[in-house]
Amino acid sequence: MKYWWLCCLLAGLAIGAEESREWTDVKGRKLKGTLVAKDELNAEVLMKNGRKVKIPLKKLSEADQEYVAKADVHPDPEIEVRTSRATGDGGKYDFDIRAIEATIEKTHERPYTLVVIWLGKRTSNVGIFLSEEFKVERDHVKKKFEVTYDWKTYADNDHAKDYSGYVVGLLDESGGTPRWVTHAVSMKPYVRFLDEYLETRGN
């Protein structure tokens, strides 16, 4: 499968603070998975293969219904990214300045870290030339961040001048191990840079 790493990443995005457990319905049938979201009528369980199953609460055992009632889980936040400003250099596609606006909603009063990863090109190789982090505080119900890429500031970086795109991710570090809860990319294949960023973060 060509993009096996993408499937693994997307499955990992949904894993929250809850642990995998065995679920039992009213007929005694069993299922193993992790509770990732709930509402008044349903529990959403992530199975090991990455598939999510929505189970009506009334079909779960009494013990499982009590577990869901006590669990502190919510759907993941939402992020929308758009280009807010761009100036070029006469149509050569080496953009001098590029700004994006990231809007984050439904954080459920939880702290996150917004990560903006700017990508550049050296010959034919796209790579990370700059990354920036911004704290999303608990009281941010809806928050907008405008972040500007200006290659002239980082002209000595090998990947700086030839702008290639961006990756924006929302990072949850509350469980000890950082995990991406949602993301937006300028081009779909660039999602691979989320893992690359975490590998080099703090070095």
Side-chain angles (χ1 to χ4, degrees), residues 21-26 29-35 37-47 51-61 64-65 68:
R21 64 189 300 275
E22 189 172 73
W23 300 81
T24 307
D25 69 9
V26 291
R29 294 175 297 191
K30 298 184 182 298
L31 169 73
K32 191 167 185 180
T34 304
L35 179 67
K38 67 177 182 178
D39 56 30
E40 293 80 5
L41 300 176
N42 303 287
E44 191 168 15
V45 176
L46 176 69
M47 298 192 299
R51 188 165 67 93
K52 290 181 181 179
V53 178
K54 187 171 284 189
I55 308 172
L57 294 176
K58 64 181 181 181
K59 292 187 176 181
L60 287 173
S61 67
D64 285 344
Q65 290 185 41
V68 173

Side-chain angles (χ1 to χ4, degrees), residues 13 40 48 63-64 90 107 142 148 177 184:
L13 291 177
E40 293 80 5
K48 189 175 181 180
D64 285 344
T107 59
K142 181 175 182 178
T148 300
T177 301

Side-chain angles (χ1 to χ4, degrees), residues 97-123:
I97 298 175
R98 175 68 63 102
I100 59 173
E101 184 179 270
T103 303
I104 302 166
E105 295 186 81
K106 301 179 181 179
T107 59
H108 303 286
E109 296 187 355
R110 295 183 175 184
Y112 295 97
T113 301
L114 176 71
V115 180
V116 178
I117 302 170
W118 296 105
L119 303 174
K121 188 184 295 183
R122 179 177 57 189
T123 62

Side-chain angles (χ1 to χ4, degrees), residues 117-120 126-131 157 159 193-194 196-198 200:
I117 302 170
W118 296 105
L119 303 174
V126 176
I128 297 174
F129 90 90
L130 179 68
S131 59
N157 186 301
H159 287 96
F193 289 106
L194 290 171
E196 183 176 321
Y197 172 78
L198 285 185
T200 59

